Amino acid sequence: MPAGIVDVDPEAHHHHQSAGEAADAARLAALGYDQELKRGWSLLESFGVSFSIISVVTGITTLFSFGLVTGGPGVMSVGWIVVSFFTMFVAFSMAEIVSAIPTSGGPYHWAALLAKPEHSAFAAWSTGWANFLGQVAVTCGITYGLAGLVCTTAGLHGFETTAPRQIGVYAALLVSHGIVNTFGIKTLAFLNRSSIALQSLGVGALAIALLAKAPTHRSAKEVFATFYDGTGGWSVRASPAYVAVIGVLLAQFTITGFDASAHMSEETHDAAKSAPIGVITAVGASSLFGFFLLNSYLFSIQDFDATVNTELGNPVLQIFVDVFGTTGATVAMTFVCLCIWHCGLFSITSNSRMMYAFSRDGALPRFFDHVDKKWSSPIRTVWLACTLAFILALPALGSSVAFAAATSIATIGLYISYAIPIAILAWDHGRFKKMQGPFNLGRASLPVAYIAIGWVTFITIAFCLPTANPVDSQTLNYTVVAVGIVAVGTFGTWFLWARRWFVGPRTAALEEASKEPGAAGS
């Protein structure tokens, strides 16, 4: 037998897999749940699902126009570095929590188990609805943005884009996501691997080709130190700092959705180790790839004013046309759209698992607490996620700022749901230490948590601020309205009726285990 080749006994391998699955099922049982979803995901898929939902090409391409007019290249490039740095603190805190509590519920389940018993149900209710809102909005932002790119690319060949047509394309894309998610974990695992290749090697190749083909390049000063205010005068009415603050939405919306590794943890082998690594590596890799892609776009701008005021409908498409020509631009944008399609696909995957878990615990109608035995997929919540994402986009028919609002809502909703369990961890760290999983930050846990909480507080305020001047019905940032309605609805329903019957996740088993230091993490 050649050196380096190991003869593996198939029966022994099967036994190892079975033992591992039994250990995962036992850990889930200790958290109060039966193993209903099929465990077919590895560390690679755990990383891949978050990496695919972050999908740097998605956020950067769909919000590139917003970035150019809200601070310009300097805020986009430097802002990316700042956002990446602080988001890593959020990722590290989330990673050590998911290691202790690897369930499909994700943040809302963490909040319930980290809080003291008398506050557990309320913590789960408030975190769950924030995550629910963010999940729906992030799918809307991704796939509606994709619909816009499909229409603008088709516009190169005579297609006339209207709001109803874009909504129609959007609906078709959501249906495609729903159909693929219906066929279960084997199809998704294959597409997960292909998405990793597209989002890394493919995006890297696109960035290199763009830089290599561009006739001229912007200088480093133009990319990293050029401020541009296209907001209508907020840099004068307020200050350049104000524009810079609201301008980091591009980066922060892009690096969002990495709780997907947590939502898929009940389908992941050795989830207590794989899920936290998936969270951290997805954010780290996305930060690096995103920085490279963003700067390849910025350095390849041929005419800044023509790019900002492009008649093509998207400045990235204008850059592609300037560099590759019409045919090459069509090919490049088709590749970008393919990457974004994968992003939207796995956003629905993550959404459906969260909604399934939320229903399993009684926050949604029990009708949605169902896993199809043939496909091992929560099909009912797959289509619930698609339907709600479609409804959220309908205001786009009458408002030009609806898409920016959807991206802000997604960012705020998800990050609030991330921050609540982190804040509970920081408030009662001694309780968390009793249930730590195999991945933990040790003495760094509290400082990292405090920085993460501070950053989420900052972006929550920033993304509710007006982004266009003057403020009227068409330019108002409706994010604060939407988030306010959900907040009032969440707290109102809790105090009026939900507190009488909603008990949250099944915490009895873990409550008993957490009395002994390390019991839950052993």
Side-chain angles (χ1 to χ4, degrees):
M1 182 178 296
I5 301 298
V6 179
D7 186 14
V8 178
D9 182 353
E11 292 188 7
H13 178 71
H14 175 73
H15 176 74
H16 176 74
Q17 285 289 93
S18 299
E21 290 178 3
D24 285 324
R27 187 178 187 86
L28 186 61
L31 294 168
Y33 298 102
D34 295 328
Q35 183 70 55
E36 296 180 283
L37 296 165
K38 182 180 178 181
R39 287 194 187 267
W41 292 58
S42 65
L43 171 59
L44 179 64
E45 281 91 19
S46 182
F47 157 78
V49 70
S50 285
F51 185 64
S52 295
I53 292 178
I54 292 174
S55 179
V56 294
V57 72
T58 299
I60 291 173
T61 304
T62 56
L63 281 178
F64 197 77
S65 177
F66 175 86
L68 283 180
V69 300
T70 316
V75 170
M76 295 166 77
S77 55
V78 177
W80 185 274
I81 298 171
V82 173
V83 167
S84 297
F85 175 77
F86 284 106
T87 302
M88 282 303 301
F89 287 92
V90 180
F92 271 108
S93 275
M94 288 174 60
E96 69 168 349
I97 298 174
V98 72
S99 181
I101 312 169
T103 65
S104 294
Y108 93 86
H109 200 170
W110 305 341
L113 299 186
L114 291 171
K116 292 181 178 179
E118 60 267 30
H119 305 304
S120 175
F122 175 67
W125 183 263
S126 55
T127 307
W129 284 110
N131 192 253
F132 186 94
L133 170 69
Q135 292 269 4
V136 174
V138 80
T139 298
C140 176
I142 292 165
T143 308
Y144 188 73
L146 171 57
L149 291 177
V150 169
C151 290
T152 53
T153 304
L156 289 176
H157 306 280
F159 181 81
E160 184 178 346
T161 302
T162 62
R165 285 183 177 182
Q166 186 168 337
I167 286 288
V169 173
Y170 176 57
L173 291 168
L174 285 175
V175 169
S176 73
H177 295 332
I179 290 173
V180 175
N181 272 284
T182 294
F183 293 114
I185 199 167
K186 290 184 178 179
T187 304
L188 290 173
F190 170 77
L191 290 172
N192 188 309
R193 295 186 184 97
S194 67
S195 180
I196 293 172
L198 287 171
Q199 309 279 1
S200 56
L201 300 177
V203 169
L206 173 65
I208 292 171
L210 190 63
L211 290 170
K213 183 68 174 175
T216 61
H217 297 99
R218 317 299 288 185
S219 68
K221 181 179 180 181
E222 288 175 305
V223 170
F224 292 101
T226 298
F227 177 83
Y228 179 81
D229 180 15
T231 64
W234 274 120
S235 62
V236 177
R237 183 177 177 183
S239 72
Y242 176 91
V243 177
V245 165
I246 60 177
V248 298
L249 174 62
L250 176 147
Q252 195 66 77
F253 171 69
T254 302
I255 312 178
T256 300
F258 45 90
D259 56 325
S261 296
H263 294 303
M264 300 303 295
S265 59
E266 290 183 33
E267 296 163 78
T268 304
H269 294 295
D270 199 9
K273 294 180 181 178
S274 297
I277 294 173
V279 169
I280 293 169
T281 54
V283 174
S286 297
S287 297
L288 294 175
F289 274 103
F291 185 71
F292 182 46
L293 178 66
L294 176 64
N295 282 292
S296 74
Y297 284 173
L298 292 173
F299 274 104
S300 300
I301 293 174
Q302 299 303 297
D303 184 322
F304 185 81
D305 290 335
T307 302
V308 171
N309 302 303
T310 179
E311 296 179 356
L312 297 180
N314 184 281
V316 173
L317 183 59
Q318 182 67 60
I319 294 171
F320 286 166
V321 169
D322 291 343
V323 173
F324 298 128
T326 301
T327 302
T330 302
V331 173
M333 192 57 83
T334 300
F335 169 77
V336 168
C337 289
L338 181 62
C339 291
I340 300 175
W341 182 86
H342 280 76
C343 177
L345 174 73
F346 288 107
S347 181
I348 291 292
T349 307
S350 178
N351 291 10
S352 64
R353 271 55 175 185
M354 183 272 165
M355 292 174 183
Y356 157 75
F358 216 26
S359 174
R360 181 176 62 182
D361 291 323
L364 291 174
R366 290 287 186 180
F367 171 80
F368 296 108
D369 176 14
H370 176 77
V371 176
D372 184 85
K373 295 187 182 299
K374 181 178 181 180
W375 299 110
S376 299
S377 175
I379 293 175
R380 294 174 184 176
T381 51
V382 165
W383 291 100
L384 175 64
C386 293
T387 302
L388 294 176
F390 178 76
I391 293 171
L392 187 60
L394 291 179
L397 289 167
S399 172
S400 60
V401 296
F403 177 72
T407 57
S408 295
I409 293 166
T411 307
I412 292 172
L414 286 179
Y415 273 94
I416 287 177
S417 74
Y418 301 166
I420 293 175
I422 295 173
I424 298 172
L425 174 154
W427 178 262
D428 192 355
H429 195 253
R431 178 179 172 82
F432 172 70
K433 288 177 69 175
K434 296 176 183 178
M435 60 179 76
Q436 283 180 335
F439 177 91
N440 62 80
L441 301 178
R443 293 182 179 180
S445 179
L446 271 177
V448 168
Y450 287 134
I451 295 172
I453 295 164
W455 179 249
V456 174
T457 302
F458 166 74
I459 63 172
T460 299
I461 296 170
F463 298 155
C464 286
L465 298 173
T467 58
N469 182 51
V471 179
D472 56 32
S473 62
Q474 287 297 304
T475 60
L476 175 68
N477 185 349
Y478 288 97
T479 303
V480 68
V481 178
V483 173
I485 290 172
V486 172
V488 170
T490 299
F491 294 121
T493 53
W494 171 258
F495 288 108
L496 289 175
W497 60 291
R499 63 188 176 91
R500 300 171 187 167
W501 55 267
F502 181 71
V503 296
R506 303 165 197 171
T507 60
L510 187 62
E511 182 60 32
E512 185 66 29
S514 67
K515 293 177 182 177
E516 294 298 327
S522 59

